[in-house]
Amino acid sequence: MQSDNEKMLQEIVQNTEMGKNTLDELMGLTRDQPLKDEMMRQKREYRRINQAAHTALEAIGAQAQGQSAAARMSVSMGIRTRTMLDKSTRNLATMLAEGSGQGAMDCKRAERDYPEASPGARKLCRELGDFQAQAESTWREFI
């Protein structure tokens, strides 16, 4: 049975993979350089937090369970559907703001769901949630 610590770290891995994968997919759809630059900056931060969660999982003898293929496909299909007719900066930024907001809520939920997680895992989860709350605000500036 997984500990709260492992469960929280797995949530962080999945959350950051969702962010990285979404940014990868949307980056190719825009010609807006400031938007693209912000996407790259945020992708680097997702990658950093993801690596920290992987390292913490390895330290407790667990293996990271990333996003499932079905989850990746579902996100990809949703992105294609929502951008089929509108690849504007406003539409992409709206999608990114919604995703960042959901990610921040997922972090809050994980903090409540896994009260016995280690202080390090809780700190990383809060860091991710704070990053995503700020990201949501940043994306709204592009709308």
Side-chain angles (χ1 to χ4, degrees):
M1 187 168 125
Q2 287 182 324
S3 67
D4 277 5
N5 195 43
E6 184 177 347
K7 289 176 186 174
M8 181 175 277
L9 291 167
Q10 295 290 2
E11 291 269 350
I12 293 167
V13 166
Q14 291 172 6
N15 188 321
T16 54
E17 284 186 9
M18 172 78 75
K20 288 187 320 180
N21 294 342
T22 299
L23 288 168
D24 277 340
E25 195 149 341
L26 291 178
M27 211 172 297
L29 299 178
T30 185
R31 288 191 166 92
D32 183 323
Q33 195 58 50
L35 182 69
K36 222 176 233 190
D37 292 345
E38 183 60 24
M39 288 176 169
M40 284 301 297
R41 187 191 73 73
Q42 289 193 22
K43 185 177 166 188
R44 283 191 300 273
E45 185 64 8
Y46 277 121
R47 189 178 295 135
R48 184 191 67 74
I49 295 171
N50 179 273
Q51 186 57 51
H54 273 265
T55 300
L57 282 165
E58 288 170 14
I60 62 172
Q63 187 169 350
Q65 308 285 314
Q67 256 191 315
S68 69
R72 282 192 308 273
M73 187 183 316
S74 175
V75 169
S76 185
M77 296 281 285
I79 288 171
R80 285 189 201 137
T81 300
R82 289 187 63 183
T83 60
M84 191 177 305
L85 299 174
D86 184 2
K87 293 176 180 61
S88 69
T89 295
R90 172 177 278 171
N91 188 43
L92 299 181
T94 298
M95 292 169 59
L96 288 163
E98 290 168 359
S100 294
Q102 182 62 52
M105 282 194 312
D106 289 346
C107 288
K108 289 287 186 201
R109 194 174 300 121
E111 287 183 56
R112 282 192 214 100
D113 289 350
Y114 310 120
E116 301 299 316
S118 71
R122 295 179 70 74
K123 180 178 182 273
L124 192 60
C125 190
R126 263 191 311 279
E127 188 178 333
L128 175 58
D130 291 347
F131 164 67
Q132 289 178 313
Q134 179 59 46
E136 180 181 10
S137 181
T138 300
W139 295 129
R140 290 187 185 284
E141 293 173 17
F142 285 93
I143 298 171

